[in-house]
């Protein structure tokens, strides 16, 4: 058993509490990882606000991390102690019908498909003050050590700087892949990205990498515009400063609407606005933002009748265990610079300050 620090979420709406926890050794088919760095994604914030009633508390959140394998359980062959890894919040078991389908990246062993947020054998490896603490999306990266199933671990290049490539565990891969894999943005096309957090800015980078000629960035926080332009946005719009609904503004700017639109916020209204912003025939709208569970969206069905496509994207459509190591290699070859997304670096004890910065749009 390892004793180390972890940020425990004891209850909905309460700040995280950095505590000493015990982390049990990995069982068969599991890997214990020393987490070196982790990002904060808005999905962690959704859970803290209680948007996912199926996530049981107390829980250790965090799902955008990178670390080093400390020990492995019986039968684990793909990684060994000392390997650099990214724990995968969307696993790839390689055996389920979705994993066997080359078109799909959603594994049926995902935590989203599990009734309980524990490890596959329905027990936890975390205890704190004698209480069992739940896992999150298999990975729980807000802990100095975590235990994850082998099918949720990707071995990466030993040269990778873990404090930088942790972003590839969720935010960067999600936005970048939504443009490249899910929308399949074509050279010369027009794109609109709603929401310029880590995910939306990564979608801007993906559209740029795919050769889009016009990239329109939309956010109510104008402080995000300079970074969006640095990453490839050609225009920036604040819907609160528009006299018309933003979908009308975008349609007028582009003639008939953009070729591809992306929603990286997680609100019903902006999902509808993003859908209506892409052109009525060949337009593709990709939904990335996460809505509270149980939310409903009501749309005019004629929006789809004329040919528009509305699709969702989980972790950017990558088959994660195969693709995250390749993305890390592309990062090392400087094919993209995800370092530009890093706004603040804090010591682990200041994790709540990190959430405050996220809430403040910083
Ligand atoms: P973030 O908080 O860093 O960024 C959200 C941005 O949206 C902010 O810049 C904010 O100013 C902007 N915004 C808020 N309301 C707006 C409005 N009405 N109009 C325009 N802009 C608005 O969040 P993030 O970490 O980038 O995550 C974005 C979303 O993506 C979240 O819902 C998160 O849960 C989701 N997500 C989904 C996946 C996936 O696999 N599908 C993965 C990661 C994150
Ligand atoms: Zn995330
Ligand atoms: Zn699978």
């Amino acid at each position: 058993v390892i004793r180390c620090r972890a940020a425990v979420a004891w209850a909905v709406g309460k700040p995280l509490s950095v505590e000493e926890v015990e982390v049990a050794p990995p069982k068969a088919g599991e890997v214990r990882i020393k987490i070196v760095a982790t990002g904060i994604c808005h999905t962690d914030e959704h859970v803290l606000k209680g948007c996912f009633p199926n996530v049981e508390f107390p829980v250790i959140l965090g799902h955008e991390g990178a670390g080093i394998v400390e020990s492995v359980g019986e039968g684990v062959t793909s990684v060994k102690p000392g390997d650099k890894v990214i724990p995968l919040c969307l696993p790839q078991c390689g055996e389920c019908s979705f994993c066997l389908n080359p078109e799909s990246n959603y594994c049926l062993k995902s935590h989203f498909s599990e009734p309980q947020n524990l490890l596959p054998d329905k027990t936890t490896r975390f205890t704190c003050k004698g209480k069992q603490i739940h896992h999150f999306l298999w990975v729980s990266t807000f802990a100095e050590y975590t235990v994850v199933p082998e099918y949720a671990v990707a071995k990466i290049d030993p040269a990778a700087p873990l404090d930088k490539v942790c972003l590839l565990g969720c935010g960067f891969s999600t936005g970048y892949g939504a443009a490249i894999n899910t929308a399949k943005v074509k050279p010369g096309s027009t794109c609109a990205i709603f929401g310029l957090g880590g995910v939306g800015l990564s979608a801007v980078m993906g559209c740029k990498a795919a050769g889009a000629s016009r990239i329109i960035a939309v956010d109510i926080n104008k402080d995000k515009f300079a970074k969006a332009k640095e990453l490839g946005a050609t225009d920036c719009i604040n819907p609160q400063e528009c006299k018309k609904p933003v979908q009308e503004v975008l349609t007028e700017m582009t003639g008939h609407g953009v070729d591809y639109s992306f929603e990286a916020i997680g609100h019903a209204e902006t999902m509808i606005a993003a859908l209506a912003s892409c052109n009525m025939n060949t337009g593709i709208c990709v939904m990335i933002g996460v809505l509270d569970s149980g939310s409903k969206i009501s749309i005019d069905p004629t929006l789809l009748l004329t040919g528009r496509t509305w699709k969702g994207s989980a972790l950017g459509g990558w088959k994660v265990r195969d693709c995250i190591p390749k993305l890390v290699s592309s990062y090392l070859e400087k094919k993209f610079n995800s370092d530009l997304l890093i706004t603040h670096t804090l010591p682990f004890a200041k994790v709540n300050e990190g959430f405050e910065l996220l809430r403040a749009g910083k």
Side-chain angles (χ1 to χ4, degrees):
V1 172
I2 290 179
R3 278 173 218 286
C4 65
R5 289 180 306 164
V8 180
W10 289 102
V12 167
K14 295 270 159 58
L16 301 179
S17 163
V18 177
E19 313 258 8
E20 189 182 87
V21 297
E22 289 100 51
V23 185
K27 292 192 185 174
E30 297 174 355
V31 180
R32 188 159 61 181
I33 301 167
K34 177 183 164 64
I35 296 290
V36 173
T38 181
I40 300 179
C41 167
H42 207 116
T43 305
D44 299 311
E45 168 72 350
H46 287 316
V47 180
L48 272 183
K49 285 200 309 204
C51 301
F52 303 117
N54 59 334
V55 173
E56 282 196 60
F57 285 68
V59 57
I60 296 175
L61 299 174
H63 62 279
E64 188 179 84
I68 298 167
V69 174
E70 177 272 335
S71 59
V72 299
E74 202 190 306
V76 170
T77 53
S78 61
V79 290
K80 56 178 189 318
D83 283 347
K84 282 191 182 174
V85 291
I86 290 186
L88 304 169
C89 54
L90 184 65
Q92 185 187 346
C93 76
E95 291 165 0
C96 71
S97 59
F98 286 175
C99 279
L100 292 172
N101 176 353
E103 303 279 304
S104 149
N105 83 318
Y106 184 85
C107 172
L108 289 167
K109 291 199 174 146
S110 162
H111 236 183
F112 292 109
S113 304
E114 286 278 320
Q116 265 191 313
N117 48 317
L118 294 165
L119 285 185
D121 72 347
K122 305 276 175 273
T123 63
T124 174
R125 301 294 159 271
F126 296 121
T127 37
C128 179
K129 297 174 178 162
K131 283 213 173 71
Q132 309 266 294
I133 312 294
H134 290 81
H135 293 246
F136 178 55
L137 297 183
W138 299 130
V139 295
S140 294
T141 61
F142 293 165
E144 289 174 316
Y145 287 85
T146 189
V147 178
V148 310
E150 183 183 15
Y151 53 71
V153 183
K155 182 175 163 175
I156 58 168
D157 190 316
L162 298 176
D163 59 336
K164 303 290 193 297
V165 299
C166 61
L167 295 187
L168 277 55
C170 184
F172 175 77
S173 304
T174 296
Y176 196 74
I180 289 184
N181 303 320
T182 313
K184 297 190 168 55
V185 168
K186 291 191 188 131
S189 59
T190 55
C191 302
I193 294 96
F194 287 67
L196 303 173
V199 175
L201 289 171
S202 302
V204 169
M205 292 170 82
C207 292
K208 166 100 178 162
S213 59
R214 196 162 186 199
I215 302 172
I216 309 170
V218 180
D219 202 297
I220 51 174
N221 178 354
K222 63 177 178 2
D223 295 344
K224 303 275 181 157
F225 293 164
K227 181 71 76 179
K229 286 206 163 145
E230 184 186 352
L231 296 174
T234 53
D235 310 73
C236 294
I237 297 182
N238 179 350
Q240 292 174 334
E241 286 174 1
C242 297
K243 296 206 177 67
K244 293 180 190 167
V246 65
Q247 54 268 44
E248 288 179 28
V249 175
L250 286 164
T251 304
E252 278 173 20
M253 279 171 78
T254 52
H256 298 284
V258 294
D259 297 310
Y260 308 96
S261 58
F262 301 86
E263 204 274 2
I265 304 165
H267 294 328
E269 322 81 75
T270 43
M271 286 190 178
I272 297 168
L275 176 64
S277 299
C278 69
N279 86 63
M280 65 194 295
N281 184 208
T282 56
I284 295 177
C285 174
V286 181
M287 169 176 147
I288 314 172
V290 175
L291 289 171
D292 296 359
S293 53
S295 314
K296 301 271 183 292
I297 290 189
S298 126
I299 61 155
D300 173 353
T302 53
L303 278 171
L304 297 174
L305 193 74
T306 49
R308 275 190 183 90
T309 303
W310 197 12
K311 58 203 296 198
S313 181
L315 232 106
W318 304 103
K319 271 202 185 289
V320 270
R321 241 173 133 198
D322 300 340
C323 296
I324 298 284
K326 291 183 190 152
L327 271 177
V328 169
S329 303
S330 298
Y331 166 86
L332 291 170
E333 289 158 15
K334 301 199 185 317
K335 293 196 175 142
F336 54 80
N337 186 3
S338 48
D339 296 358
L340 295 170
L341 300 169
I342 299 172
T343 55
H344 300 78
T345 304
L346 299 168
F348 183 48
K350 293 195 174 172
V351 59
N352 285 309
E353 214 171 285
F355 275 90
E356 287 307 327
L357 289 163
L358 176 96
R359 291 172 195 135
K362 295 196 167 131

